[in-house]
Amino acid sequence: MALGKDYAAQECSIARALEIVGERWTLLVIRDAFYGVRRYKDFLVHLGIPRAVLAARLQTLTDAGILEKRRYQQSPPRDEYVLTDRGVQLWPTVRSLGAWGNAHVPGPELRTFRHAACGTGLGSYGECPACGVVPVPEIEMAPGPGLDPDPADAVSRALLTPKRLLQPLQAELA
């Protein structure tokens, strides 16, 4: 029997969510959007994803209201992709999946996350043990001890500097 391509027979909110974010590469596109990646070429370079796959994932996420396509240049026309409020609500999922990976999949810690206001490292769900729930724009990401200090691509080099989530990278890549 062939493996189905969707979860139509499943009556479950997890299955419905997986219809949008469950394809390979999709959560990495969302992760990069949290990191401040907004431009197609920057997603392409940082992820090493095939062009057709990236275009399809960006379209799916835009259609689902997770990303918003915004024009940043008229001639030639160029767009960037920004997380919507609906997309930002995926942060606890992205954070907890990363924390689970750090705890259960061998390898060094590549990034650290802390509450910018108090400097406390975040818990597994993105909460501050000292202050409680932290709005995503108040989260600072920094390189962890296992991150390559001399990466080949410009996006990875820009991400070597501590920065707040959601702040665009384009100024650093120009």
Side-chain angles (χ1 to χ4, degrees), residues 33-120:
F34 277 109
Y35 291 0
V37 177
R38 291 183 169 190
R39 296 182 177 178
Y40 180 88
K41 70 176 180 96
D42 296 332
F43 282 109
L44 194 65
V45 166
H46 191 238
L47 293 171
I49 184 174
R51 288 179 181 274
V53 173
L54 177 58
R57 298 305 179 266
L58 290 171
Q59 187 63 54
T60 296
L61 291 168
T62 301
D63 291 346
I66 292 170
L67 292 176
E68 178 183 356
K69 192 174 180 178
R70 293 184 188 162
R71 181 70 33 106
Y72 71 87
Q73 180 178 307
Q74 292 300 326
S75 183
R78 299 206 189 277
D79 299 312
E80 63 182 7
Y81 297 87
V82 180
L83 284 165
T84 63
D85 289 341
R86 176 183 275 180
V88 171
Q89 289 176 13
L90 285 165
W91 171 247
T93 302
V94 172
R95 171 64 186 150
S96 62
L97 187 58
W100 184 89
N102 282 335
H104 299 289
V105 180
E109 185 175 23
L110 301 176
R111 302 203 186 279
T112 62
F113 299 90
R114 67 179 182 209
H115 185 191
C118 72
T120 303

Coordinates of all heavy atoms in Angstrom, one line a residue, residues 33-120:
A33 N 13.3 32.4 9.7 CA 12.5 33.6 9.7 C 12.6 34.2 11.2 O 12.7 35.4 11.3 CB 11.0 33.3 9.3
F34 N 12.6 33.3 12.2 CA 12.8 33.8 13.5 C 14.2 34.4 13.7 O 14.3 35.4 14.4 CB 12.6 32.7 14.6 CG 11.2 32.4 14.9 CD1 10.6 31.3 14.5 CD2 10.5 33.3 15.7 CE1 9.2 31.0 14.9 CE2 9.1 33.1 16.1 CZ 8.5 31.9 15.6
Y35 N 15.1 33.9 13.0 CA 16.5 34.4 13.1 C 16.7 35.7 12.3 O 17.7 36.3 12.4 CB 17.5 33.4 12.5 CG 17.7 32.1 13.3 CD1 17.0 31.9 14.5 CD2 18.6 31.1 12.9 CE1 17.2 30.7 15.2 CE2 18.8 30.0 13.6 CZ 18.1 29.7 14.8 OH 18.3 28.6 15.5
G36 N 15.7 36.1 11.6 CA 15.8 37.4 10.9 C 16.0 37.2 9.4 O 16.1 38.2 8.7
V37 N 16.1 36.0 8.9 CA 16.2 35.8 7.4 C 14.9 36.2 6.8 O 13.8 35.7 7.3 CB 16.6 34.3 7.1 CG1 16.7 34.1 5.6 CG2 17.9 34.0 7.8
R38 N 14.9 37.0 5.8 CA 13.7 37.4 5.1 C 13.7 37.3 3.6 O 12.7 37.2 3.0 CB 13.4 38.9 5.5 CG 13.1 39.1 6.9 CD 12.8 40.6 7.2 NE 12.2 40.7 8.5 CZ 11.6 41.8 8.9 NH1 11.6 42.9 8.1 NH2 11.1 41.9 10.1
R39 N 14.9 37.3 3.0 CA 14.9 37.3 1.6 C 15.2 35.9 1.0 O 15.9 35.1 1.6 CB 16.1 38.2 1.1 CG 15.7 39.7 1.5 CD 16.8 40.6 1.1 NE 16.4 42.0 1.5 CZ 17.1 43.1 1.2 NH1 18.3 43.0 0.6 NH2 16.7 44.3 1.6
Y40 N 14.5 35.7 -0.1 CA 14.6 34.4 -0.8 C 16.0 33.9 -0.9 O 16.4 32.8 -0.5 CB 13.9 34.5 -2.2 CG 13.9 33.2 -3.0 CD1 12.9 32.3 -2.8 CD2 15.0 32.9 -3.8 CE1 12.9 31.1 -3.6 CE2 15.0 31.7 -4.6 CZ 13.9 30.8 -4.4 OH 14.0 29.7 -5.1
K41 N 16.9 34.7 -1.5 CA 18.3 34.3 -1.7 C 19.0 33.9 -0.4 O 19.9 33.0 -0.3 CB 19.1 35.3 -2.4 CG 19.4 36.6 -1.7 CD 20.3 37.6 -2.5 CE 20.6 38.8 -1.6 NZ 21.8 38.8 -0.9
D42 N 18.6 34.6 0.7 CA 19.3 34.3 2.0 C 18.8 33.0 2.6 O 19.6 32.2 3.1 CB 19.0 35.5 3.0 CG 19.7 36.8 2.5 OD1 20.7 36.7 1.8 OD2 19.2 37.8 2.9
F43 N 17.5 32.7 2.4 CA 17.0 31.4 2.8 C 17.7 30.3 2.0 O 18.2 29.3 2.5 CB 15.5 31.3 2.5 CG 14.6 31.9 3.5 CD1 13.9 33.1 3.2 CD2 14.4 31.4 4.8 CE1 13.0 33.7 4.1 CE2 13.5 32.0 5.7 CZ 12.8 33.1 5.4
L44 N 17.8 30.6 0.7 CA 18.4 29.6 -0.2 C 19.9 29.3 0.2 O 20.3 28.1 0.3 CB 18.4 30.2 -1.6 CG 18.7 29.3 -2.8 CD1 17.6 28.2 -2.9 CD2 18.7 30.1 -4.1
V45 N 20.6 30.3 0.4 CA 22.1 30.2 0.8 C 22.2 29.5 2.2 O 23.0 28.6 2.3 CB 22.8 31.5 0.8 CG1 24.1 31.5 1.5 CG2 22.9 32.0 -0.6
H46 N 21.4 30.0 3.1 CA 21.6 29.4 4.5 C 21.1 28.0 4.6 O 21.8 27.2 5.4 CB 20.9 30.3 5.5 CG 21.2 30.0 6.9 ND1 20.3 29.7 7.9 CD2 22.4 30.0 7.6 CE1 20.9 29.5 9.0 NE2 22.2 29.7 8.9
L47 N 20.0 27.7 4.0 CA 19.5 26.3 4.1 C 20.1 25.3 3.2 O 20.0 24.1 3.4 CB 18.0 26.4 3.9 CG 17.2 27.1 5.0 CD1 15.7 27.3 4.6 CD2 17.3 26.5 6.3
G48 N 20.6 25.8 2.0 CA 21.1 24.8 1.0 C 19.9 24.0 0.4 O 20.1 22.8 0.1
I49 N 18.8 24.6 0.3 CA 17.5 24.0 -0.1 C 17.4 24.1 -1.6 O 17.7 25.2 -2.2 CB 16.3 24.6 0.7 CG1 15.0 23.9 0.4 CG2 16.3 26.1 0.4 CD1 13.9 24.5 1.3
P50 N 16.8 23.1 -2.3 CA 16.6 23.3 -3.7 C 15.6 24.5 -4.0 O 14.6 24.7 -3.2 CB 15.9 22.0 -4.2 CG 16.4 21.0 -3.1 CD 16.5 21.8 -1.9
R51 N 15.8 25.2 -5.0 CA 15.0 26.4 -5.3 C 13.5 26.1 -5.4 O 12.7 26.8 -4.9 CB 15.4 27.0 -6.7 CG 16.7 27.7 -6.6 CD 17.1 28.3 -8.0 NE 18.4 29.0 -7.9 CZ 18.6 30.2 -7.6 NH1 17.5 31.0 -7.2 NH2 19.8 30.8 -7.5
A52 N 13.1 25.0 -6.1 CA 11.7 24.7 -6.3 C 11.1 24.4 -4.9 O 9.9 24.7 -4.7 CB 11.6 23.5 -7.3
V53 N 11.8 23.7 -4.1 CA 11.3 23.3 -2.8 C 11.1 24.6 -1.9 O 10.1 24.7 -1.3 CB 12.3 22.3 -2.1 CG1 11.8 22.1 -0.6 CG2 12.3 21.0 -2.8
L54 N 12.1 25.5 -1.9 CA 12.0 26.7 -1.2 C 10.8 27.5 -1.6 O 10.0 28.0 -0.8 CB 13.3 27.5 -1.3 CG 13.2 28.9 -0.5 CD1 12.9 28.7 0.9 CD2 14.5 29.7 -0.7
A55 N 10.7 27.7 -2.9 CA 9.5 28.4 -3.5 C 8.2 27.8 -3.0 O 7.3 28.6 -2.6 CB 9.6 28.5 -5.0
A56 N 8.1 26.5 -3.1 CA 6.9 25.8 -2.6 C 6.6 26.0 -1.2 O 5.5 26.3 -0.7 CB 6.9 24.3 -3.0
R57 N 7.6 25.9 -0.3 CA 7.5 26.1 1.1 C 7.1 27.5 1.4 O 6.2 27.8 2.3 CB 8.7 25.7 1.9 CG 9.2 24.3 1.8 CD 8.1 23.3 2.1 NE 8.5 21.9 2.0 CZ 8.3 21.2 0.9 NH1 7.7 21.7 -0.1 NH2 8.8 20.0 0.8
L58 N 7.7 28.5 0.8 CA 7.4 29.9 1.1 C 5.9 30.2 0.7 O 5.2 30.9 1.4 CB 8.3 30.8 0.3 CG 9.8 30.9 0.9 CD1 10.7 31.7 0.0 CD2 9.8 31.5 2.3
Q59 N 5.5 29.6 -0.5 CA 4.1 29.8 -0.9 C 3.1 29.2 0.1 O 2.1 29.8 0.4 CB 3.9 29.2 -2.3 CG 2.6 29.5 -2.9 CD 2.4 31.0 -3.1 OE1 3.2 31.7 -3.8 NE2 1.3 31.6 -2.6
T60 N 3.4 28.0 0.5 CA 2.5 27.3 1.5 C 2.4 28.1 2.8 O 1.3 28.3 3.3 CB 3.1 25.9 1.8 OG1 3.0 25.1 0.6 CG2 2.3 25.2 2.9
L61 N 3.6 28.6 3.3 CA 3.6 29.3 4.5 C 2.9 30.7 4.3 O 2.2 31.2 5.3 CB 5.0 29.5 5.0 CG 5.6 28.2 5.5 CD1 7.1 28.4 5.7 CD2 4.9 27.7 6.8
T62 N 3.0 31.3 3.2 CA 2.3 32.6 2.9 C 0.8 32.3 2.8 O 0.0 33.0 3.4 CB 2.9 33.2 1.6 OG1 4.3 33.4 1.8 CG2 2.2 34.5 1.3
D63 N 0.4 31.3 2.0 CA -1.0 31.0 1.9 C -1.7 30.6 3.2 O -2.8 30.9 3.5 CB -1.2 29.8 1.0 CG -0.9 30.1 -0.5 OD1 -0.7 31.3 -0.8 OD2 -0.7 29.1 -1.3
A64 N -0.9 30.0 4.2 CA -1.4 29.7 5.5 C -1.4 30.8 6.5 O -1.9 30.7 7.6 CB -0.6 28.5 6.0
G65 N -0.9 32.0 6.0 CA -0.8 33.1 6.9 C 0.2 33.1 8.0 O 0.2 33.8 9.0
I66 N 1.2 32.3 7.8 CA 2.4 32.2 8.7 C 3.5 33.2 8.3 O 4.1 33.8 9.2 CB 2.9 30.7 8.7 CG1 1.9 29.8 9.4 CG2 4.2 30.7 9.5 CD1 2.1 28.4 9.3
L67 N 3.6 33.4 7.0 CA 4.5 34.4 6.5 C 3.7 35.4 5.7 O 2.7 35.1 5.1 CB 5.6 33.8 5.6 CG 6.7 32.9 6.2 CD1 7.6 32.3 5.1 CD2 7.5 33.6 7.3
E68 N 4.2 36.6 5.7 CA 3.6 37.7 4.9 C 4.7 38.1 3.9 O 5.9 38.3 4.2 CB 3.2 38.9 5.7 CG 2.7 40.0 4.9 CD 2.4 41.2 5.8 OE1 2.5 41.1 7.0 OE2 2.0 42.3 5.2
K69 N 4.3 38.2 2.6 CA 5.2 38.6 1.6 C 5.1 40.1 1.4 O 4.0 40.7 1.3 CB 4.7 37.9 0.2 CG 5.7 38.0 -0.9 CD 5.1 37.1 -2.0 CE 6.0 37.2 -3.2 NZ 5.5 36.3 -4.3
R70 N 6.3 40.8 1.6 CA 6.3 42.2 1.5 C 7.3 42.7 0.4 O 8.5 42.2 0.4 CB 6.8 42.8 2.8 CG 5.8 42.6 3.9 CD 6.3 43.3 5.2 NE 5.5 43.0 6.3 CZ 5.9 43.2 7.6 NH1 7.1 43.7 7.9 NH2 5.1 42.8 8.6
R71 N 6.9 43.6 -0.4 CA 7.8 44.2 -1.4 C 8.8 45.1 -0.8 O 8.4 46.0 -0.1 CB 6.9 44.9 -2.5 CG 7.6 45.5 -3.6 CD 8.1 44.6 -4.7 NE 7.5 43.3 -5.0 CZ 6.8 43.1 -6.1 NH1 6.5 44.0 -7.0 NH2 6.2 41.9 -6.2
Y72 N 10.1 44.9 -1.0 CA 11.1 45.8 -0.5 C 11.8 46.5 -1.6 O 12.6 47.4 -1.4 CB 12.1 45.0 0.4 CG 13.1 44.1 -0.3 CD1 14.3 44.5 -0.8 CD2 12.8 42.7 -0.4 CE1 15.1 43.6 -1.4 CE2 13.6 41.8 -1.0 CZ 14.8 42.3 -1.5 OH 15.7 41.4 -2.1
Q73 N 11.6 46.1 -2.9 CA 12.2 46.7 -4.1 C 11.3 46.7 -5.2 O 10.7 45.6 -5.5 CB 13.6 46.1 -4.4 CG 14.3 46.6 -5.5 CD 15.6 45.9 -5.7 OE1 16.4 45.8 -4.8 NE2 15.9 45.4 -6.9
Q74 N 11.1 47.8 -5.9 CA 10.1 47.8 -7.1 C 10.8 47.4 -8.4 O 10.1 46.7 -9.2 CB 9.6 49.2 -7.2 CG 8.6 49.6 -6.1 CD 7.5 48.7 -5.9 OE1 6.9 48.1 -6.8 NE2 7.1 48.5 -4.6
S75 N 12.0 47.8 -8.6 CA 12.6 47.5 -9.9 C 14.0 47.0 -9.8 O 14.9 47.8 -9.4 CB 12.6 48.8 -10.8 OG 13.1 48.5 -12.1
P76 N 14.3 45.7 -10.1 CA 13.3 44.7 -10.3 C 12.5 44.4 -9.1 O 13.0 44.6 -8.0 CB 14.1 43.5 -10.8 CG 15.4 43.7 -10.1 CD 15.6 45.2 -10.0
P77 N 11.3 43.9 -9.2 CA 10.5 43.6 -8.1 C 11.1 42.5 -7.2 O 11.5 41.4 -7.7 CB 9.1 43.1 -8.6 CG 9.4 42.8 -10.1 CD 10.6 43.5 -10.5
R78 N 11.2 42.8 -5.9 CA 11.8 41.8 -5.0 C 11.0 41.9 -3.7 O 10.6 42.9 -3.2 CB 13.2 42.1 -4.7 CG 14.1 42.0 -5.9 CD 15.6 41.7 -5.5 NE 16.4 41.9 -6.6 CZ 16.7 41.0 -7.6 NH1 16.0 39.8 -7.5 NH2 17.5 41.2 -8.5
D79 N 10.7 40.7 -3.1 CA 9.9 40.6 -1.9 C 10.7 39.9 -0.8 O 11.7 39.3 -1.0 CB 8.7 39.7 -2.2 CG 7.8 40.3 -3.2 OD1 7.5 41.5 -3.2 OD2 7.4 39.5 -4.2
E80 N 10.3 40.2 0.4 CA 10.8 39.5 1.6 C 9.7 38.8 2.3 O 8.5 39.1 2.1 CB 11.5 40.5 2.5 CG 10.7 41.6 3.1 CD 11.5 42.6 4.0 OE1 12.7 42.5 4.0 OE2 10.8 43.4 4.6
Y81 N 10.0 37.9 3.2 CA 9.0 37.1 3.9 C 9.2 37.4 5.4 O 10.3 37.1 5.9 CB 9.2 35.6 3.5 CG 9.0 35.4 2.1 CD1 10.0 35.5 1.2 CD2 7.7 35.0 1.6 CE1 9.8 35.3 -0.2 CE2 7.5 34.8 0.3 CZ 8.6 34.9 -0.6 OH 8.3 34.7 -2.0
V82 N 8.1 37.8 6.0 CA 8.1 38.2 7.4 C 7.1 37.3 8.2 O 6.0 37.2 7.7 CB 7.8 39.7 7.6 CG1 7.8 40.1 9.0 CG2 8.8 40.5 6.7
L83 N 7.5 36.9 9.3 CA 6.5 36.1 10.2 C 5.3 37.0 10.6 O 5.5 38.2 11.0 CB 7.2 35.6 11.4 CG 8.1 34.4 11.2 CD1 9.0 34.2 12.5 CD2 7.3 33.1 11.0
T84 N 4.2 36.5 10.4 CA 2.9 37.1 10.9 C 2.8 36.8 12.4 O 3.5 36.0 13.0 CB 1.7 36.6 10.1 OG1 1.6 35.2 10.4 CG2 1.9 36.9 8.6
D85 N 1.7 37.4 13.0 CA 1.4 37.0 14.4 C 1.2 35.5 14.5 O 1.6 34.8 15.5 CB 0.2 37.8 14.9 CG 0.5 39.2 15.1 OD1 1.7 39.6 15.3 OD2 -0.5 40.0 15.2
R86 N 0.5 34.9 13.5 CA 0.2 33.5 13.5 C 1.6 32.7 13.5 O 1.7 31.7 14.1 CB -0.6 33.1 12.3 CG -0.9 31.6 12.1 CD -1.7 31.4 10.9 NE -3.1 31.5 11.2 CZ -4.0 31.3 10.4 NH1 -3.8 31.0 9.1 NH2 -5.3 31.4 10.8
G87 N 2.5 33.2 12.7 CA 3.8 32.6 12.6 C 4.6 32.7 13.9 O 5.3 31.7 14.3
V88 N 4.6 33.8 14.5 CA 5.3 34.1 15.7 C 4.8 33.1 16.8 O 5.6 32.7 17.7 CB 5.2 35.5 16.2 CG1 5.8 35.8 17.6 CG2 6.0 36.4 15.2
Q89 N 3.5 32.7 16.7 CA 3.0 31.8 17.7 C 3.6 30.4 17.6 O 3.4 29.6 18.5 CB 1.5 31.7 17.6 CG 0.8 33.0 18.1 CD -0.7 33.0 17.8 OE1 -1.3 32.0 17.5 NE2 -1.3 34.1 18.0
L90 N 4.3 30.2 16.6 CA 5.0 28.9 16.5 C 6.3 28.8 17.3 O 7.0 27.8 17.4 CB 5.3 28.6 15.0 CG 4.2 28.1 14.2 CD1 4.5 28.2 12.7 CD2 3.7 26.7 14.6
W91 N 6.7 30.0 17.9 CA 8.0 30.0 18.6 C 8.1 28.9 19.7 O 9.1 28.2 19.7 CB 8.3 31.4 19.2 CG 9.5 31.3 20.1 CD1 9.5 31.5 21.5 CD2 10.8 31.0 19.8 NE1 10.7 31.4 22.0 CE2 11.6 31.1 21.0 CE3 11.5 30.7 18.6 CZ2 13.0 30.8 21.0 CZ3 12.9 30.5 18.6 CH2 13.6 30.5 19.8
P92 N 7.1 28.7 20.5 CA 7.3 27.6 21.5 C 7.5 26.3 20.9 O 8.3 25.5 21.5 CB 6.0 27.7 22.3 CG 5.5 29.0 22.1 CD 5.9 29.4 20.7
T93 N 6.9 26.0 19.8 CA 7.2 24.7 19.1 C 8.6 24.6 18.6 O 9.3 23.6 18.8 CB 6.2 24.6 17.9 OG1 4.8 24.7 18.4 CG2 6.4 23.3 17.2
V94 N 9.0 25.7 17.9 CA 10.4 25.7 17.4 C 11.4 25.6 18.5 O 12.4 24.8 18.4 CB 10.6 27.0 16.5 CG1 12.1 27.1 16.1 CG2 9.7 26.9 15.3
R95 N 11.2 26.4 19.6 CA 12.1 26.4 20.7 C 12.2 25.0 21.4 O 13.2 24.5 21.7 CB 11.7 27.4 21.7 CG 12.5 27.4 23.0 CD 13.9 27.6 22.9 NE 14.6 27.4 24.2 CZ 15.8 27.0 24.4 NH1 16.6 26.8 23.3 NH2 16.3 26.9 25.6
S96 N 11.0 24.4 21.6 CA 11.0 23.1 22.4 C 11.6 22.0 21.5 O 12.2 21.1 22.0 CB 9.6 22.8 22.9 OG 8.7 22.7 21.8
L97 N 11.4 22.1 20.2 CA 12.0 21.1 19.3 C 13.5 21.2 19.3 O 14.2 20.2 19.4 CB 11.4 21.2 17.9 CG 11.9 20.1 16.9 CD1 11.4 18.7 17.4 CD2 11.3 20.4 15.5
G98 N 14.0 22.4 19.3 CA 15.5 22.6 19.4 C 16.0 22.2 20.8 O 17.1 21.6 20.8
A99 N 15.3 22.5 21.9 CA 15.7 22.0 23.2 C 15.7 20.5 23.3 O 16.6 19.9 23.9 CB 14.8 22.6 24.3
W100 N 14.7 19.9 22.7 CA 14.7 18.4 22.7 C 15.9 17.9 21.9 O 16.5 16.9 22.4 CB 13.3 17.9 22.1 CG 13.2 16.5 22.1 CD1 12.6 15.7 23.1 CD2 13.6 15.5 21.1 NE1 12.7 14.4 22.7 CE2 13.3 14.2 21.5 CE3 14.2 15.7 19.8 CZ2 13.5 13.1 20.8 CZ3 14.5 14.5 19.1 CH2 14.1 13.3 19.6
G101 N 16.2 18.5 20.8 CA 17.3 18.0 20.0 C 18.6 18.2 20.8 O 19.5 17.3 20.7
N102 N 18.8 19.3 21.5 CA 20.0 19.5 22.3 C 20.1 18.4 23.4 O 21.2 17.9 23.7 CB 20.0 20.9 23.0 CG 20.4 22.0 22.0 OD1 21.1 21.8 21.1 ND2 19.9 23.2 22.3
A103 N 19.0 18.0 24.0 CA 19.0 17.1 25.1 C 19.1 15.6 24.6 O 19.7 14.8 25.3 CB 17.7 17.2 25.9
H104 N 18.6 15.3 23.4 CA 18.5 13.9 23.0 C 19.2 13.5 21.8 O 19.2 12.3 21.5 CB 17.0 13.5 22.9 CG 16.3 13.7 24.2 ND1 16.4 12.9 25.3 CD2 15.3 14.6 24.6 CE1 15.7 13.3 26.3 NE2 15.0 14.3 25.9
V105 N 19.7 14.4 21.0 CA 20.5 14.0 19.8 C 21.9 14.5 20.0 O 22.2 15.7 20.2 CB 19.8 14.7 18.5 CG1 20.6 14.4 17.3 CG2 18.4 14.3 18.4
P106 N 22.8 13.6 19.9 CA 24.2 13.9 20.2 C 24.7 15.1 19.3 O 24.4 15.1 18.1 CB 25.0 12.6 19.9 CG 24.0 11.5 19.9 CD 22.7 12.1 19.5
G107 N 25.5 15.9 19.9 CA 26.1 17.1 19.1 C 26.2 18.3 20.1 O 25.5 18.3 21.1
P108 N 27.0 19.2 19.7 CA 27.2 20.4 20.5 C 26.1 21.4 20.4 O 25.3 21.3 19.4 CB 28.5 21.0 19.9 CG 28.4 20.6 18.5 CD 27.8 19.2 18.5
E109 N 25.9 22.2 21.4 CA 24.9 23.2 21.4 C 25.3 24.3 20.4 O 26.4 24.9 20.5 CB 24.7 23.8 22.8 CG 23.6 24.8 22.9 CD 23.3 25.3 24.3 OE1 24.3 25.2 25.1 OE2 22.2 25.7 24.6
L110 N 24.5 24.6 19.4 CA 24.9 25.6 18.4 C 24.4 27.0 18.7 O 25.0 27.9 18.2 CB 24.3 25.1 17.0 CG 24.8 23.7 16.6 CD1 24.2 23.3 15.3 CD2 26.3 23.7 16.5
R111 N 23.3 27.1 19.4 CA 22.8 28.5 19.7 C 22.3 28.5 21.1 O 21.8 27.5 21.6 CB 21.7 28.9 18.7 CG 22.1 28.8 17.3 CD 21.3 29.7 16.4 NE 21.7 29.5 15.0 CZ 22.7 30.1 14.4 NH1 23.5 30.9 15.1 NH2 23.0 29.8 13.2
T112 N 22.4 29.7 21.7 CA 21.8 29.9 23.0 C 20.7 31.0 22.9 O 20.8 31.9 22.1 CB 22.8 30.2 24.1 OG1 23.5 31.5 23.7 CG2 23.9 29.2 24.2
F113 N 19.8 30.9 23.8 CA 18.7 31.9 23.8 C 18.5 32.4 25.2 O 18.5 31.6 26.2 CB 17.4 31.2 23.3 CG 17.5 30.7 21.9 CD1 17.9 29.4 21.6 CD2 17.2 31.5 20.8 CE1 18.0 29.0 20.3 CE2 17.3 31.1 19.5 CZ 17.7 29.8 19.3
R114 N 18.3 33.7 25.4 CA 18.1 34.3 26.7 C 17.2 35.4 26.6 O 17.0 36.0 25.6 CB 19.5 34.7 27.3 CG 20.1 35.8 26.6 CD 21.4 36.2 27.3 NE 22.0 37.3 26.6 CZ 23.3 37.6 26.5 NH1 24.1 36.8 27.1 NH2 23.7 38.6 25.8
H115 N 16.6 35.8 27.8 CA 15.8 36.9 27.9 C 16.7 38.2 27.9 O 17.5 38.3 28.8 CB 15.0 36.8 29.2 CG 14.0 37.9 29.4 ND1 13.3 38.1 30.6 CD2 13.5 38.8 28.5 CE1 12.5 39.1 30.4 NE2 12.5 39.6 29.2
A116 N 16.5 39.0 26.9 CA 17.4 40.2 26.7 C 17.3 41.1 28.0 O 18.3 41.7 28.3 CB 17.1 40.9 25.5
A117 N 16.2 41.2 28.6 CA 16.0 42.2 29.7 C 16.8 41.8 30.9 O 17.3 42.6 31.6 CB 14.5 42.3 30.0
C118 N 16.8 40.5 31.2 CA 17.5 40.1 32.5 C 18.7 39.2 32.2 O 19.4 38.9 33.2 CB 16.5 39.4 33.4 SG 16.0 37.7 32.9
G119 N 18.9 38.7 31.0 CA 20.1 37.9 30.7 C 20.0 36.4 31.1 O 20.9 35.7 30.9
T120 N 18.8 36.0 31.6 CA 18.6 34.6 32.0 C 18.4 33.7 30.8 O 17.6 34.1 29.8 CB 17.4 34.5 32.9 OG1 17.6 35.4 34.1 CG2 17.2 33.1 33.4

